[in-house]
Amino acid sequence: MKVGRTLVSAEEIDTALARIGAQIDVEYEGKDLLMIGVLKGAFIVMADLARHVTVPVEFDFMAVSSYGAATQTSGVVRILKDLDQEIAGRDVLIVEDIIDSGLTLSYLLKSLRVRYPASLEVAALLVKEGIQRAQLDVKYTGFTIGPEFVVGYGLDYVGKLRNLPYIAVMEEDD
Ligand code: IMP
Ligand code: MG
């Protein structure tokens, strides 16, 4: 596999994050915003989106992994790193790199909802179209893409390429 054509340029990403940041500024004015990044993929989008937000905000991170291949379809994920703080009564915004089947996020939402946040919303840089198996309400979306495998800007191919400053499609070698 090799890095193929650019799907979303660095400039397009920045424009989308500026738009989402401006929406967050309006909608979280006077609230108690806590942005939660889902590691590892969301570390870059979290850092860049954060710099487009001007309302008071705190940050936390979670790391999750799917239970082995056999149970992956059930969407049961293991929490590898939980939040450092309580979220009861807080306005929580989950920040994701990409939503594919939506099963990971749907499990995450379920496990956070029982901690009684005042509100719980999702911001995702990318949403793959037409293959969501879980009913998800994503409040802030950067780009809707096709069912291609993409890398860069936090997204990896076997652990690598997260540092690519734009989003590219993986292609077969010639
Ligand atoms: P799902 O929404 O539960 O299917 O899983 C989403 C996770 O799968 C993301 O957080 C990524 O870690 C990974 N993923 C899904 N699609 C891609 C892709 O195109 N490139 C890189 N990672 C992906
Ligand atoms: Mg991820």
Side-chain angles (χ1 to χ4, degrees):
M1 297 289 278
K2 60 167 201 234
V3 177
R5 75 192 153 85
T6 300
L7 191 65
V8 190
S9 71
E11 198 188 351
E12 290 169 323
I13 294 170
D14 190 59
T15 302
L17 295 183
R19 165 177 58 82
I20 294 170
Q23 276 176 275
I24 289 172
D25 277 351
V26 171
E27 284 156 28
Y28 287 90
E29 170 89 64
K31 300 246 173 106
D32 183 19
L33 177 58
L34 174 67
M35 286 169 65
I36 296 176
V38 184
L39 296 173
K40 307 183 179 75
F43 82 109
I44 292 180
V45 56
M46 180 77 141
D48 284 348
L49 175 59
R51 280 173 280 190
H52 286 292
V53 172
T54 65
V55 290
V57 53
E58 286 179 35
F59 301 95
D60 207 338
F61 292 90
M62 283 182 92
V64 297
S65 96
S66 294
Y67 274 114
T71 52
Q72 219 160 345
T73 46
S74 69
V76 175
V77 302
R78 195 154 51 104
I79 295 177
L80 302 177
K81 184 223 169 289
D82 206 338
L83 299 171
D84 291 338
Q85 52 204 297
E86 304 290 316
I87 60 167
R90 308 205 60 186
D91 294 290
V92 172
L93 178 62
I94 296 180
V95 179
E96 262 284 26
D97 48 1
I98 189 165
I99 296 168
D100 188 359
S101 71
L103 292 171
T104 305
L105 186 62
S106 134
Y107 180 87
L108 209 57
L109 285 169
K110 231 183 287 168
S111 65
L112 292 182
R113 213 167 272 134
V114 296
R115 303 183 194 181
Y116 302 105
S119 64
L120 184 59
E121 300 291 353
V122 177
L125 180 65
L126 304 174
V127 176
K128 282 194 193 175
E129 206 166 25
I131 50 174
Q132 265 82 63
R133 276 183 287 167
Q135 235 7 66
L136 286 178
D137 190 10
V138 180
K139 188 150 191 194
Y140 309 99
T141 303
F143 302 90
T144 302
I145 65 170
E148 303 150 297
F149 193 85
V150 292
V151 292
Y153 207 77
L155 293 158
D156 71 303
Y157 174 68
V158 221
K160 302 253 182 359
L161 296 169
R162 293 190 197 275
N163 54 315
L164 209 63
Y166 54 91
I167 291 160
V169 179
M170 284 306 281
E171 284 172 2
E172 301 287 341
D173 291 310
D174 311 305

